[in-house]
Amino acid sequence: DEFAQFLIDLSKKENLKDWLLIPSNDHAVLTISRNKVELEKHYKTLVPKLNELLNIYDKKKLLDLAQQHNVAIPKSHILKTTDELTTMEFPVITKGRNGLTFYKKTGKKVFISKSQKELQTQLEEISKFVSIDKCLTQEIIPSHTEHKTISFTCFSVQGDIKSYWTGVKLREHPLRFGTATHTKSIDSEPLKNQSETLIKAINYTGVCEIEYLFDPRTNEYKLIEINPRTWLWVGLAKSCGIDYAKMMYSHVHNLPYDYPKSYPIETYWINHITDLPFSIKGLIKREYTFSEVAKSYISKKKFAIFKSNDILPMLSLIFLLPLLIIKR
């Protein structure tokens, strides 16, 4: 809540009346939603009301909603104690019902358990930081070189999708369950119908990212989470002609906007500063091949943070890279 007060004070100091707030992480979304009434006296925002947001923010509520609307999800359990048994097949992952809070408290995005004994040990460790019933234990969808995390993204108004774009994480950190370092645009069609169902069910207004993993065992895309905000590689959508910031700004100020219905596929994006060290790690672990990594550095792509007329973001990330590697 101190962040909300900071924004209010900033608005008064700099005369930012009706500027649009675009949050880029879960805690910012939650803070703005919780303080929505006061903040909207100073700013424009498309963050949902708190009771609406919690259906997305809490992964358990989101997965229950998805099941009600016949959207496939991974087999999931909410365990109440560290001794509770699960009938799930191992390996499994345990993560927070709110991912960012879980990560900040435990230092890990997920815990992977290969046996019941390992799961109990990890739950005991997690319980020192987070209540077990605030966690989610799920089956691990088999890894495959062609089956990466896919993000269906869209701008919608009261559940009606106005424009959409889809991309896939080709590399990420930490490996398999992390933040994108190399991505590309792909066709949205396989995910469009079920994404429309979810957006309509939550009556969503604004920009969001819906993450899926393809399960080769059942031949279906399974919902992982919905991020009610922008994401790290949103710049790739803009490079493809899907300018979400301009859509949001136009909407809150009642300006006319011609929403695009298509975009180029096979457009690439890379964050060199984080991709290079974690690509080396992936090569060592044989998650990637040398030829695919080398090809991605030679081929045409969009750069994540480098701008010749604004180099400070790149320099700051270089400075923070050792800390990032240690944490991840």
Side-chain angles (χ1 to χ4, degrees):
D1 291 331
E2 291 177 4
F3 176 57
Q5 188 58 51
F6 164 79
L7 290 172
I8 291 169
D9 293 342
L10 183 67
S11 172
K12 294 175 181 177
K13 179 183 176 183
E14 302 292 348
N15 191 27
L16 304 183
K17 182 67 176 174
D18 287 340
W19 282 41
L20 173 64
L21 295 176
I22 305 179
S24 57
N25 72 51
D26 292 344
H27 285 174
V29 173
L30 185 61
T31 297
I32 292 171
S33 181
R34 199 165 49 214
N35 297 275
K36 187 176 175 71
V37 173
E38 284 302 311
L39 283 167
E40 287 187 343
K41 294 176 182 178
H42 305 271
Y43 296 96
K44 298 286 189 180
T45 176
L46 287 173
V47 171
K49 295 177 182 177
L50 189 58
N51 63 328
E52 298 170 350
L53 176 66
L54 292 179
N55 288 326
I56 307 170
Y57 192 73
D58 185 330
K59 288 184 176 65
K60 173 63 167 60
K61 291 184 177 182
L62 175 62
L63 294 178
D64 288 346
L65 184 72
Q67 279 191 304
Q68 291 170 19
H69 291 85
N70 299 314
V71 175
I73 64 170
K75 293 177 183 176
S76 307
H77 284 257
I78 299 291
L79 305 177
K80 293 184 169 53
T81 71
T82 57
D83 298 321
E84 191 171 342
L85 296 176
T86 173
T87 57
M88 297 176 71
E89 294 182 7
F90 289 88
V92 297
I93 61 169
T94 299
K95 58 186 180 181
R97 289 168 63 168
N98 169 247
L100 185 57
T101 298
F102 183 84
Y103 173 60
K104 285 185 175 293
K105 289 186 176 181
T106 66
K108 289 187 177 183
K109 281 200 165 187
V110 299
F111 287 77
I112 301 175
S113 309
K114 297 178 181 178
S115 66
Q116 182 68 49
K117 182 177 180 181
E118 188 175 13
L119 174 61
Q120 287 181 313
T121 300
Q122 289 183 349
L123 291 177
E124 288 170 5
E125 180 64 24
I126 292 168
S127 67
K128 296 175 184 176
F129 307 97
V130 180
S131 174
I132 296 302
D133 63 356
K134 299 296 182 186
C135 301
L136 197 62
T137 298
Q138 294 181 309
E139 66 174 342
I140 292 182
I141 295 173
S143 177
H144 191 283
T145 54
E146 296 179 4
H147 302 145
K148 308 284 189 178
T149 304
I150 295 176
S151 293
F152 178 95
T153 73
C154 65
F155 175 76
S156 61
V157 178
Q158 295 182 331
D160 178 26
I161 294 178
K162 301 295 185 182
S163 193
Y164 56 87
W165 177 90
T166 300
V168 60
K169 294 180 183 178
L170 300 176
R171 293 196 291 272
E172 57 194 320
H173 72 91
L175 300 176
R176 289 200 66 195
F177 304 104
T179 303
T181 64
H182 180 45
T183 65
K184 73 172 179 178
S185 61
I186 61 172
D187 183 15
S188 294
E189 207 56 39
L191 296 166
K192 190 168 179 285
N193 289 340
Q194 66 194 67
S195 299
E196 285 179 331
T197 298
L198 287 169
I199 292 299
K200 191 171 292 185
I202 59 179
N203 196 35
Y204 191 79
T205 296
V207 170
C208 71
E209 175 194 36
I210 310 176
E211 288 195 348
Y212 296 95
L213 271 175
F214 182 78
D215 191 336
R217 301 167 301 180
T218 58
N219 199 36
E220 59 190 349
Y221 290 95
K222 291 185 174 179
L223 175 68
I224 304 302
E225 63 182 0
I226 297 180
N227 293 314
R229 52 171 174 79
T230 57
W231 54 99
L232 177 65
W233 43 300
V234 67
L236 180 53
K238 183 180 179 182
S239 297
C240 293
I242 309 298
D243 192 342
Y244 284 129
K246 189 171 286 188
M247 291 179 202
M248 287 187 280
Y249 184 84
S250 298
H251 176 73
V252 299
H253 289 290
N254 297 312
L255 301 174
Y257 195 86
D258 186 14
Y259 296 103
K261 301 299 183 185
S262 63
Y263 58 87
I265 62 172
E266 301 286 330
T267 301
Y268 292 82
W269 172 99
I270 195 167
N271 185 345
H272 287 88
I273 295 172
T274 53
D275 186 73
L276 184 58
F278 289 100
S279 289
I280 292 171
K281 185 176 180 180
L283 287 170
I284 293 171
K285 291 192 170 187
R286 297 184 179 180
E287 293 278 344
Y288 313 132
T289 66
F290 180 79
S291 61
E292 69 177 296
V293 173
K295 183 180 178 181
S296 67
Y297 274 77
I298 297 170
S299 61
K300 186 178 180 181
K301 53 202 165 289
K302 306 296 179 181
F303 296 112
I305 59 169
F306 176 72
K307 289 283 186 181
S308 59
N309 61 348
D310 183 15
I311 64 171
L312 286 179
M314 183 188 70
L315 293 177
S316 64
L317 190 54
I318 291 173
F319 181 76
L320 291 170
L321 186 59
L323 177 62
L324 183 64
I325 291 172
I326 292 169
K327 288 179 68 177
R328 291 292 172 97

